[in-house]
Amino acid sequence: IMEGLEKAGYQTRFGGILEDDVIAAANRLEGAAEEGYGLIITTGGVGAEDKDCSIEAIQRLDPNAQTAWILKFKPDYHRHHKEGVRIALGRMGLAYLIALPGPHEEAKLGFNRLLEGMEKGLEDKDLAEYIACALTDRWHKIMKEGDNKHGLSRHR
């Protein structure tokens, strides 16, 4: 992501790893915005486990942040405490706050869609959906290929 940002003309700095704590993560994101960073991207922490708090950290800073679902399911309250996996796009002052999934291929795909959508001038809600749709399509493809590889069918 940093390499892609630099190729797009951004100056970058790795901000470290956020704690699995909403307040601590929000404070770090707020600090980056206050330092003057205009595009703050996190990867990971967007899942359905109770430790995943990137979405909530962004919503704490921007209650109107756009969140878009990648996957939705019923929580089992063992591992999954939330309704699914989503991304977030919020703003704090002039800074964009973006939460993408952590797995490498998903982060890369989400980042590429972010840049494409920004180049197209998409508004925040449309940009969040543009990113999430590509990630959802990837998951549908993986699930379909997984079923085919194992001779399974989702329709019984």
Side-chain angles (χ1 to χ4, degrees):
I1 289 175
M2 289 175 64
E3 186 178 302
L5 285 169
E6 288 171 0
K7 285 180 181 175
Y10 290 86
Q11 294 178 4
T12 64
R13 179 178 70 91
F14 178 66
I17 298 171
L18 298 177
E19 292 181 46
D20 292 334
D21 177 86
V22 174
I23 294 171
N27 287 342
R28 291 276 303 281
L29 295 171
E30 183 176 31
E34 288 174 354
E35 287 178 40
Y37 290 93
L39 182 59
I40 302 161
I41 301 172
T42 66
T43 58
V46 301
E49 295 181 38
D50 57 356
K51 68 179 180 66
D52 293 323
C53 62
S54 294
I55 303 298
E56 293 81 1
I58 289 175
Q59 289 177 315
R60 186 175 178 86
L61 298 171
D62 178 1
N64 297 313
Q66 299 299 313
T67 62
W69 294 101
I70 298 169
L71 299 169
K72 265 193 116 172
F73 45 80
K74 185 176 179 184
D76 62 12
Y77 298 102
H78 296 285
R79 180 175 179 196
H80 297 119
H81 293 256
K82 301 175 191 174
E83 293 180 57
V85 180
R86 56 191 171 150
I87 61 145
L89 189 152
R91 291 185 185 250
M92 185 179 158
L94 298 176
Y96 271 107
L97 307 169
I98 313 290
L100 298 174
H104 180 75
E105 289 303 316
E106 293 173 30
K108 184 177 171 182
L109 176 59
F111 169 71
N112 288 336
R113 289 291 281 222
L114 170 66
L115 284 185
E116 289 171 15
M118 289 173 70
E119 287 175 10
K120 291 180 179 187
L122 296 179
E123 298 293 325
D124 292 359
K125 182 174 176 45
D126 294 331
L127 181 55
E129 289 295 331
Y130 187 69
I131 296 165
C133 284
L135 293 163
T136 299
D137 289 347
R138 181 179 188 281
W139 270 104
H140 286 177
K141 182 179 176 189
I142 287 170
M143 289 188 291
K144 184 178 180 180
E145 288 174 358
D147 289 351
N148 291 337
K149 287 180 184 175
H150 300 288
L152 302 174
S153 172
R154 285 185 269 153
H155 307 287
R156 299 189 191 247

